[in-house]
Amino acid sequence: MPIHEYVPLESPGCALCCYGFERLERLSDTPLTHCTACGKPVRRVIGAPAVAVGGAHLLREDHVAKHGFTQYRKVGKGRYEKTTGDGPDTIGSD
């Protein structure tokens, strides 16, 4: 369910609506027309979406190990060292 933002049409509003407020609603719900606290008219506005940019949070060592993977980092030309997981400590040509 998305979070919808509402702002008052008349100012000043009450403590709830004077700066705007957010409400968790289904897409099929009809938008509010009045503040639930003071009854002043409000309108729904488009807010910025919450988006996770990139996948760096998925590459954290604890996340990788929790899902059964082994993670390595490059330590030299053709040599890799284990940072997390159950695999061998080093990989590379000797």
Side-chain angles (χ1 to χ4, degrees):
M1 285 194 308
I3 297 174
H4 296 283
E5 296 179 24
Y6 288 90
V7 295
L9 293 175
E10 302 172 0
S11 57
C14 68
L16 173 67
C17 70
C18 65
Y19 298 109
F21 61 95
E22 297 176 341
R23 185 175 165 107
L24 186 66
E25 297 176 329
R26 290 185 175 89
L27 290 173
S28 60
D29 290 347
T30 57
L32 291 178
T33 56
H34 293 84
C35 175
T36 57
C38 68
K40 292 206 179 211
V42 295
R43 70 180 173 96
R44 186 163 65 185
V45 294
I46 297 173
V51 178
V53 178
H57 65 285
L58 299 175
L59 298 177
R60 288 191 332 255
E61 291 178 6
D62 59 338
H63 185 80
V64 171
K66 181 175 84 173
H67 292 285
F69 293 98
T70 302
Q71 185 178 39
Y72 293 91
R73 68 182 161 114
K74 190 173 186 175
V75 292
K77 186 173 183 178
R79 302 230 4 107
Y80 296 87
E81 184 178 84
K82 178 176 71 169
T83 59
T84 188
D86 295 331
D89 291 337
T90 60
I91 296 177
S93 57
D94 290 327

